[in-house]
Amino acid sequence: MEKNSDAAIKLQSIYIPTVESSTNTLLMQRDFSDYTVIYTFNQISGRGRLGRQWVNIPNKNLAFSIGLRSLKCQPIWITAALSVAATTALEKNGLAGTWIKWPNDIFVGQSKLAGVLTESTWENNKIDKCVAGIGINLNSSDEELRSTVTDKQATSFFAQTNKKINLEHFANCLQENIVDCLELLKNGGVSYMKQLWLSKAKLIGEKAELSEIYKSSSVISGVIENIDDNGFLYFNDGTKTFRVVTGDIKIIF
């Protein structure tokens, strides 16, 4: 039967008490149907971009992945959709001042709260399936983060608000916002998603340091000039402007 492209998105959500690998890995290993979600509050081997580890603090944080097959857009806009949905969910639950750092991190002030990892498999030069995952520090204390996370910028919802959040409630809130963002992409709203993403990002015109363009590349100082419709960053190092497809950005406050 042909699918109705106008049908509303409905997530097929699966909660798993403990994920030994990562939610992205677990979902990638499955022959999932469109809009399948796996989430847990105890992910043992979380992963981030550039081979980085996402540290686990059991039953304090959220690890969430969604599998996509039919959405026709660049993976960067899937990352953008999850980032916008997460910042919206955090704001709805009382955490103000969150912002998105290109291409996939969520910060509050100068501290990192969450990260998105989008991965794809290809078949016949087309994306066969896409899995987008997000890890969000929710109820971890400052002490727990300092004792387990090497990134000194790490923070959490609790560390910022001094309030514990119901993890299941937040997972449901996040899923509602993800559906809204994916509906936007499904209906051709990439340009609007870009506007939403940039409105929540601290990017254009900011002084920054650029690294990890390739393995062991040197750090380049400059200014972020633009983000194009493919999600690529344009960086001016003081002598020229060039396009950045991948890399790591550090905003200079």
Side-chain angles (χ1 to χ4, degrees):
M1 181 181 294
E2 184 177 348
K3 291 184 179 179
N4 180 4
S5 61
D6 296 325
I9 291 173
K10 292 184 179 179
L11 304 185
Q12 301 176 52
S13 188
I14 304 167
Y15 167 70
I16 300 178
T18 298
V19 174
E20 294 292 339
S21 54
S22 72
T23 52
N24 263 31
T25 298
L26 187 58
L27 196 48
M28 269 293 188
Q29 291 171 344
R30 299 187 176 192
D31 185 22
F32 58 80
S33 56
D34 212 6
Y35 304 116
T36 295
V37 166
I38 289 177
Y39 72 99
T40 186
F41 308 125
N42 188 25
Q43 175 182 254
I44 305 302
S45 299
R47 296 181 290 112
R49 285 181 68 246
L50 305 173
R52 294 166 180 160
Q53 180 186 17
W54 187 266
V55 175
N56 180 56
I57 301 174
N59 302 310
K60 294 291 183 76
N61 306 317
L62 172 65
F64 174 105
S65 294
I66 181 168
L68 305 167
R69 288 189 181 274
S70 63
L71 209 56
K72 306 300 182 185
C73 67
Q74 294 289 336
I76 183 64
W77 302 120
I78 306 298
T79 298
L82 261 68
S83 300
V84 169
T87 57
T88 303
L90 290 163
E91 290 165 1
K92 285 181 177 178
N93 284 278
L95 179 58
T98 57
W99 59 277
I100 301 168
K101 181 175 78 69
W102 182 90
N104 70 318
D105 290 333
I106 296 171
F107 275 62
V108 56
Q110 299 182 38
S111 300
K112 182 177 174 179
L113 183 75
V116 180
L117 178 64
T118 301
E119 302 175 292
S120 303
T121 61
W122 293 71
E123 188 173 305
N124 297 325
N125 296 318
K126 294 182 180 179
I127 293 177
D128 175 45
K129 58 183 180 181
C130 177
V131 170
I134 184 165
I136 307 178
N137 294 332
L138 292 173
N139 288 337
S140 302
S141 67
D142 273 330
E143 292 76 14
E144 288 170 323
L145 290 168
R146 282 197 297 268
S147 65
T148 57
V149 182
T150 57
D151 186 351
K152 302 306 179 186
Q153 290 182 307
T155 191
S156 69
F157 177 91
F158 174 69
Q160 293 292 322
T161 65
N162 203 32
K163 295 178 181 178
K164 294 288 180 72
I165 193 168
N166 181 290
L167 297 178
E168 190 66 43
H169 166 79
F170 184 83
N172 290 335
C173 181
L174 176 64
Q175 290 181 75
E176 290 171 2
N177 285 289
I178 286 174
V179 167
D180 290 342
C181 289
L182 293 181
E183 287 281 7
L184 185 63
L185 290 179
K186 179 183 174 184
N187 294 316
V190 168
S191 61
Y192 187 49
M193 175 55 63
K194 178 185 175 183
Q195 292 176 30
L196 285 175
W197 186 48
L198 289 177
S199 73
K200 293 176 177 290
K202 188 177 179 67
L203 291 172
I204 308 301
E206 294 292 333
K207 294 180 180 179
E209 292 179 345
L210 173 64
S211 61
E212 300 288 350
I213 300 173
Y214 52 87
K215 189 174 182 180
S216 302
S217 62
S218 59
V219 176
I220 303 170
S221 297
V223 175
I224 300 168
E225 291 194 343
N226 194 20
I227 303 288
D228 69 16
D229 288 342
N230 292 312
F232 299 143
L233 182 144
Y234 286 76
F235 194 82
N236 188 304
D237 64 1
T239 59
K240 63 183 182 301
T241 298
F242 56 93
R243 187 179 72 168
V244 181
V245 175
T246 185
D248 195 42
I249 285 286
K250 179 181 179 181
I251 303 298
I252 305 302
F253 292 94

